[in-house]
Amino acid sequence: MARFEVKLPKMGESVAEATIISWLKNVGDKVEQDDAIVEIATDKVDSEVPSEVDGIISEIFFEADAVVKVGETIAIIETLNEEGSTPKIEEPLFEVVQDDAKLETESKGEHKGENTLIEKHSTSGKFLSPLVRNIANTEGVSMEELEAIVGTGKDDRVTKNDILGYLESGRNVILKEEGAYNQPAVEKKELTKNTVPVSVNGGDEIIEMSRMGKLIAHHMVASVQTSAHVQSFIEVDVTNIVKWRDRVKDAFFAREGEKITYTPIFMQAVANAIKEFPMINISVDGDKIIKRKAINLGMAAALADGNLIVPVIKNADQLNLVGMTKAVNNLAKRAREGKLNPDDIQGGTYTVTNVGSFGSVFGTPIINQPQVAILALGSVRKVPAVIETPEGDFIGIRHKMFISHSYDHRVVNGALGGMFIKFIKENLEAWDVNAAF
């Protein structure tokens, strides 16, 4: 019999922690290898952590809504002994579901400066965990203050870290007064360092940001503060690609069982450009530059709730057009269905986002850290254009699009940023309309 430590797995290069959503197994439950035991969430994806061994869960170290760092032990599994008998369960550090009545009894009259017991649900209906309520009772935090704290847990719950951060900040929150509401002051760990209070009046509606929305916002602000963003734009004539796709799409589907869109064609062009300009495929670590060997293309995909997620096509430069099409379609489908796993969103070295899918002509995307560049694909439009021929110039209808390149000017200068998208333009415009697939 042995004690096996279940650790929070690594879920991506830029992911250092995750939130425990819920335990799927409890202390005393028997588990088999590959059984899911806990559901976790990061700013990028929700997933389950499977057991690596057969045994019985003897200890659980974190309750729901706790924020855990990668590599931390979250539970102990007692593996079966050689005879296959059930191991003895030791007293756990704490149960997942704590005794609310006990916590409330311990809170009454025994905590400094607190006379009002915090209820299980706030006045707005927000659930407050036993741990958060215990801290609030101990520190004299009122229900009105708890309502004003920005929660980062599942369904925007206030977590232990949220309330401790509020206490450490000097309880710097502006409360509801006379029917008006002011947003809480935000410390540097929140979306911005200085937030101007916003008054809400009349029929205005207050909508809490989702957990993923708050984390994405935090990462976007951090990226702007980290990288010196510069943009380059270029217009591309994709008429040959449009004609080629119209010609082959039915045969392509009949042979491969996949619909071919413009996206895999553009992704393949980006992968080829990275091979030509490898210093765009880097990361910055202090004063050092890390040149990536693999070309792993992140592909921003929209979720049902409006948020974005960036699944990664690994070794994209090694895929032909059919392989790229299948990879793009597979990741997009699983992103929409919420079936991505942590491995699908880690290891990206360069990101492409298709703003054209929403009708935008071009955009200025924010770099996905720790990468140093990101490309935005604009919508493909029919436009009048000057066509040069040996007989002279004339006006014709062409299919064109803009591509926008945001890059980190600390390490990518304008020449490299511009040459990179110029290479993509030339690659796409040279497409053979009669090519096979």
Side-chain angles (χ1 to χ4, degrees), residues 36-90:
I37 59 176
V38 63
E39 187 179 9
I40 60 174
T42 71
D43 60 308
K44 297 179 177 179
V45 68
D46 294 353
S47 60
E48 296 175 346
V49 176
S51 173
E52 298 179 41
V53 296
D54 297 340
I56 293 180
I57 296 178
S58 63
E59 297 179 69
I60 289 176
F61 296 115
F62 295 93
E63 65 172 7
D65 291 337
V67 178
V68 185
K69 294 187 180 302
V70 169
E72 279 192 275
T73 300
I74 58 175
I76 297 292
I77 295 177
E78 295 283 356
T79 58
L80 300 177
N81 58 26
E82 294 180 358
E83 288 76 27
S85 61
T86 302
K88 179 182 178 181
I89 303 302
E90 298 181 6

Side-chain angles (χ1 to χ4, degrees), residues 230-232 405 407-409 411-421:
V230 175
Q231 282 84 28
S232 294
H405 193 209
Y407 46 94
D408 188 344
H409 209 30
V411 289
V412 180
N413 59 33
L416 175 57
M419 287 189 296
F420 180 78
I421 55 173

Side-chain angles (χ1 to χ4, degrees), residues 37-193:
I37 59 176
V38 63
E39 187 179 9
I40 60 174
T42 71
D43 60 308
K44 297 179 177 179
V45 68
D46 294 353
S47 60
E48 296 175 346
V49 176
S51 173
E52 298 179 41
V53 296
D54 297 340
I56 293 180
I57 296 178
S58 63
E59 297 179 69
I60 289 176
F61 296 115
F62 295 93
E63 65 172 7
D65 291 337
V67 178
V68 185
K69 294 187 180 302
V70 169
E72 279 192 275
T73 300
I74 58 175
I76 297 292
I77 295 177
E78 295 283 356
T79 58
L80 300 177
N81 58 26
E82 294 180 358
E83 288 76 27
S85 61
T86 302
K88 179 182 178 181
I89 303 302
E90 298 181 6
E91 187 68 22
L93 181 64
F94 64 80
E95 298 289 340
V96 176
V97 180
Q98 300 191 40
D99 188 341
D100 290 352
K102 181 179 179 181
L103 284 173
E104 292 175 356
T105 301
E106 292 174 350
S107 299
K108 291 180 180 178
E110 297 179 4
H111 303 304
K112 53 185 179 182
E114 177 57 32
N115 296 317
T116 304
L117 195 65
I118 298 297
E119 298 295 331
K120 188 172 184 179
H121 291 87
S122 70
T123 51
S124 67
K126 185 187 297 183
F127 174 78
L128 300 170
S129 70
L131 182 58
V132 168
R133 285 185 282 128
N134 201 27
I135 295 172
N137 285 321
T138 301
E139 301 296 335
V141 178
S142 68
M143 181 64 79
E144 192 174 26
E145 291 175 284
L146 287 172
E147 285 279 29
I149 295 173
V150 177
T152 60
K154 183 184 180 184
D155 299 326
D156 304 322
R157 294 179 186 176
V158 175
T159 67
K160 178 186 73 171
N161 285 353
D162 295 331
I163 191 170
L164 291 179
Y166 164 68
L167 293 170
E168 291 170 2
S169 71
R171 304 169 77 147
N172 187 17
V173 169
I174 302 171
L175 303 176
K176 298 177 182 179
E177 293 179 1
E178 300 177 0
Y181 180 77
N182 289 323
Q183 296 286 356
V186 182
E187 297 298 304
K188 65 180 180 180
K189 69 176 183 176
E190 299 294 349
L191 306 187
T192 58
K193 290 185 177 180

Side-chain angles (χ1 to χ4, degrees), residues 269-345:
V270 171
N272 290 336
I274 292 174
K275 290 174 68 175
E276 185 72 16
F277 300 96
M279 287 306 292
I280 211 79
N281 199 46
I282 63 174
S283 293
V284 179
D285 183 13
D287 294 330
K288 296 182 177 62
I289 293 174
I290 301 171
K291 185 179 177 183
R292 303 296 186 184
K293 181 179 180 180
I295 297 176
N296 298 335
L297 292 185
M299 181 188 72
L303 299 175
D305 61 3
N307 285 313
L308 291 176
I309 197 167
V310 186
V312 177
I313 301 171
K314 307 293 175 59
N315 299 309
D317 57 312
Q318 299 177 20
L319 298 176
N320 61 17
L321 185 58
V322 173
M324 184 70 77
T325 300
K326 291 183 177 181
V328 166
N329 291 351
N330 175 264
L331 289 175
K333 180 176 183 291
R334 289 198 287 126
R336 289 191 299 269
E337 296 174 350
K339 294 182 179 180
L340 294 174
N341 57 56
D343 185 61
D344 291 325
I345 50 90

